[in-house]
Amino acid sequence: MLNLTESNNLSNTSLLSNLKPFNEKALVVQVLVGILLYVNGLMIFTFLKKNVFLEETRYILFAQTLFVDSSNMLFTCLTMTGIINQYAVHIIPCCIFCTVMSVLNICTPVTLVAMCLERYVAICMPLRHSSISTPKNTFIGLLVIWAVSFVLPLFVLIVFLVYASPVVLQSYVVCSLEVMLRVNWLADTRAASLQIIFIIMFCIVISTYIKIVAAARSATSQNKKSSKGLRTVILHGIQLFLCMLQFIVPYIEMPVWKVNLVVFVNVKYSNYILFIISPRCLSPLIYGLRDKKFCNALKHYVFCGFAVVNRHKIQHVKTIPLEVY
């Protein structure tokens, strides 16, 4: 059973009651999330309106990234607001909510790794790219991404429900993922699993990006336009690094959560801005605004069709793999 007692619950309640709402921090989070949701919403709308985007693997993965990022920011913003303002909810909906949020947290970097592999094939094996990046293979890839993302959060949820006492399952808590990690071995298992995922993705990224950067530099010497592709690769690497760093966050937050809840709120807020908001600000820049074909279509819908956009080019322009991501 979980190592929870009434005295611990009373202690946690008293600590929470001493926390003062951080209204300014909540407002900053809501403004940032609102801006990013608006931008991502425009890009998702643009993606759905153009059939040419629905047929290419990189745009499909990009659209999934936008959807996952938007959902994740919405879920985490609600959670952060609840923590800052000490809203207590029933523990069962909280656990389901946190499980979905955990799935989204893992799905983003896994999708970015898939995008990295797709660019690796396009740049380093251009002759095989059309045969590998087929709609069928893209669909299978999406299933694999979501399956990998679901394994660990679902395991944590099942173990928590098995070990939790009836009293705990009927309690009300300030919703946070740490509520499900009161069993020490479960918290350690989750943290270790995230580190394994981090190492696997790190190895994949390093091995593919060495070859991608080498190809980009070789192309740069022949074509100045490919220098933009090299910058895109670098930005993508920074985004992946920030996303994967979120896997070490449990090692930072769990010890603080058990000691001081006021400090925990501040640490969680800082981690949210650094590891959740920051890398997701790069997605629209790297895969939307820097892509000429997608940017032209986006301008058309942003300005309600009054922008000067050559529709023929939107439909038929051929993009260079190193320039477009």
Side-chain angles (χ1 to χ4, degrees):
M1 304 298 290
L2 285 173
N3 187 19
L4 287 174
T5 61
E6 293 183 2
S7 61
N8 287 337
N9 287 333
L10 291 173
S11 176
N12 288 337
T13 302
S14 63
L15 283 171
L16 283 172
S17 64
N18 292 328
L19 287 171
K20 295 181 180 180
F22 296 91
N23 293 325
E24 293 182 0
K25 292 184 177 181
L27 180 61
V28 171
V29 168
Q30 292 167 359
V31 170
L32 289 174
V33 171
I35 293 173
L36 290 174
L37 287 178
Y38 175 73
V39 174
N40 287 355
L42 285 176
M43 291 190 170
I44 292 174
F45 177 80
T46 302
F47 168 78
L48 295 175
K49 293 293 290 184
K50 293 294 181 181
N51 292 330
V52 64
F53 298 142
L54 297 172
E55 298 171 356
E56 296 190 36
T57 301
R58 66 175 177 270
Y59 291 116
I60 295 174
L61 293 174
F62 171 48
Q64 167 155 303
T65 302
L66 292 175
F67 170 76
V68 173
D69 285 351
S70 300
S71 302
N72 192 18
M73 286 188 293
L74 181 61
F75 274 71
T76 52
C77 180
L78 292 174
T79 303
M80 181 61 61
T81 302
I83 292 174
I84 291 175
N85 294 280
Q86 307 164 58
Y87 293 134
V89 298
H90 195 275
I91 195 170
I92 297 298
C94 171
C95 291
I96 297 174
F97 190 89
C98 290
T99 299
V100 175
M101 189 167 57
S102 297
V103 171
L104 297 173
N105 276 334
I106 297 175
C107 189
T108 293
V110 174
T111 303
L112 291 175
V113 171
M115 297 176 79
C116 171
L117 292 174
E118 191 276 334
R119 285 296 84 193
Y120 167 75
V121 174
I123 296 171
C124 299
M125 296 185 291
L127 298 179
R128 298 184 57 188
H129 180 256
S130 59
S131 61
I132 294 176
S133 297
T134 61
K136 180 180 179 181
N137 290 338
T138 302
F139 178 73
I140 294 174
L142 294 177
L143 290 180
V144 172
I145 291 171
W146 283 102
V148 171
S149 303
F150 261 100
V151 171
L152 182 59
L154 193 60
F155 170 77
V156 172
L157 176 63
I158 293 173
V159 172
F160 171 79
L161 294 177
V162 169
Y163 277 78
S165 66
V167 175
V168 171
L169 295 178
Q170 295 175 3
S171 62
Y172 284 78
V173 295
V174 176
C175 192
S176 172
L177 179 62
E178 286 72 20
V179 171
M180 303 171 61
L181 302 176
R182 293 179 183 268
V183 180
N184 291 332
W185 72 265
L186 179 59
D188 294 338
T189 300
R190 178 180 179 272
S193 300
L194 290 176
Q195 299 314 302
I196 293 173
I197 296 174
F198 177 91
I199 293 172
I200 292 173
M201 290 198 300
F202 180 79
C203 293
I204 294 174
V205 169
I206 290 298
S207 61
T208 54
Y209 268 91
I210 289 175
K211 297 181 180 179
I212 289 176
V213 171
R217 287 179 176 176
S218 175
T220 302
S221 63
Q222 302 173 11
N223 189 347
K224 293 182 179 180
K225 293 183 179 180
S226 297
S227 61
K228 182 178 179 181
L230 180 57
R231 292 193 296 270
T232 301
V233 168
I234 295 173
L235 287 172
H236 184 42
I238 294 172
Q239 184 185 25
L240 275 170
F241 179 72
L242 289 175
C243 284
M244 290 191 296
L245 279 180
Q246 70 182 339
F247 292 157
I248 67 173
V249 168
Y251 283 124
I252 302 173
E253 294 180 350
M254 280 299 295
V256 177
W257 181 69
K258 295 178 180 178
V259 175
N260 190 310
L261 290 177
V262 177
V263 178
F264 170 74
V265 170
N266 287 286
V267 171
K268 198 169 185 68
Y269 176 81
S270 300
N271 289 337
Y272 177 75
I273 297 296
L274 185 60
F275 301 122
I276 301 297
I277 296 293
S278 297
R280 285 159 181 83
C281 290
L282 293 176
S283 291
L285 172 64
I286 297 174
Y287 316 118
L289 300 180
R290 290 171 60 86
D291 184 318
K292 292 182 180 179
K293 181 164 61 174
F294 193 90
C295 187
N296 286 337
L298 180 63
K299 289 179 180 178
H300 176 77
Y301 292 112
V302 168
F303 295 102
C304 303
F306 291 102
V308 180
V309 179
N310 191 323
R311 297 187 180 184
H312 179 75
K313 288 184 178 181
I314 293 177
Q315 292 290 342
H316 301 289
V317 66
K318 295 182 178 180
T319 58
I320 301 173
L322 283 173
E323 288 187 307
V324 178
Y325 202 132

